[in-house]
Amino acid sequence: KCVIIDTVGQAYQACYQYMLSQMGVNDPGEVGYGMGWKKIRLEFESVLRSIPQKGYGLIMLAHSDEVEKEDKATKQKKTVIKIDIDKRPDLIIKSLADFVFYLNKEMPEGALTPTVFAYTKLLDIDTKSRSRYFAEKFEFTYENLQKEMQKAIERQCAAENAISSNESASNPYEKTPIDFDKLKAENIALANEL
């Protein structure tokens, strides 16, 4: 039911190499007027979009590193989290994502083993949620994700006086294909009549 891409940065690099071979070039800049980069972007975006359009869930994973950066104003060094996704695919990925969680392994006080927490509303790390009502932090397990999503739906319904439905929407891509010749004939007949 789901397609998991691990990692999405490597998937973009594979798309990049594939498109270079399709265009017969070694660098996207060899294709004039930015068309090489545009073709790579369109290929990557269309493949990612096709996954949910076919009825699958899409989970994209990326790694992160802690890096030292100098604050320009204070000239002080600080540790920041850098997500391992290039700028070009990053824009595509974020536009498609319903949720961007930052997962961090932490040792809760008094615990014997670390726990992975999901963060949904961090300011200094890219996170995103289409639901304003998601918890800012929760223990990241499948069961907790389901519970937190249900709570977010309930909070939204209460705040916005809405009603939630569990009925799945129909998938337009599962419908019977249209007979193109018949459709063409109908359009010609309609055009002639008009």
Side-chain angles (χ1 to χ4, degrees):
K1 293 182 181 179
C2 284
V3 173
I4 301 171
I5 300 175
D6 183 7
T7 68
V8 71
Q10 290 174 339
Y12 179 76
Q13 285 304 315
C15 177
Y16 176 90
Q17 293 300 328
Y18 169 75
M19 288 307 295
L20 289 182
S21 70
Q22 292 295 302
M23 294 181 284
V25 296
N26 293 317
D27 186 273
E30 294 175 36
V31 182
Y33 307 106
M35 291 304 295
W37 286 110
K38 183 177 180 180
K39 287 181 179 189
I40 293 168
R41 179 180 54 80
L42 290 173
E43 178 69 15
F44 188 65
E45 190 172 15
S46 70
V47 169
L48 288 183
R49 282 190 191 284
S50 73
I51 295 168
Q53 288 173 343
K54 291 177 180 169
Y56 294 99
L58 176 59
I59 300 170
M60 298 178 277
L61 303 176
H63 295 282
S64 64
D65 284 319
E66 290 185 2
V67 294
E68 292 256 328
K69 272 195 165 180
E70 186 177 289
D71 187 308
K72 292 178 183 177
T74 64
K75 303 290 185 199
Q76 301 258 330
K77 290 197 178 218
K78 66 177 187 172
T79 303
V80 295
I81 304 295
K82 168 80 172 91
I83 307 300
D84 186 26
I85 302 174
D86 292 335
K87 181 175 65 173
R88 284 185 169 95
D90 186 56
L91 297 172
I92 297 166
I93 293 161
K94 286 184 187 151
S95 71
L96 292 173
D98 290 327
F99 305 103
V100 178
F101 298 138
Y102 173 70
L103 304 181
N104 193 38
K105 191 183 289 186
E106 301 170 15
M107 185 67 81
E109 192 174 323
L112 298 175
T113 58
T115 301
V116 176
F117 289 96
Y119 290 85
T120 63
K121 296 178 177 87
L122 296 176
L123 297 176
D124 54 347
I125 304 171
D126 283 333
T127 57
K128 171 186 173 181
S129 173
R130 290 206 193 275
S131 170
R132 293 177 296 179
Y133 303 95
F134 233 106
E136 291 185 19
K137 176 183 177 183
F138 61 92
E139 183 179 352
F140 190 71
T141 65
Y142 181 73
E143 292 79 19
N144 281 351
L145 177 59
Q146 285 183 310
K147 287 177 190 172
E148 290 300 326
M149 193 169 293
Q150 185 59 43
K151 287 178 190 175
I153 292 168
E154 290 167 5
R155 287 184 201 115
Q156 184 168 1
C157 288
E160 298 175 7
N161 199 21
I163 298 172
S164 173
S165 171
N166 286 335
E167 291 181 30
S168 63
S170 65
N171 185 342
Y173 297 92
E174 293 176 359
K175 294 181 180 174
T176 307
I178 296 170
D179 180 343
F180 180 75
D181 292 329
K182 182 180 175 189
L183 181 63
K184 181 179 170 184
E186 288 173 3
N187 279 294
I188 290 171
L190 181 60
N192 287 334
E193 184 181 319
L194 292 173

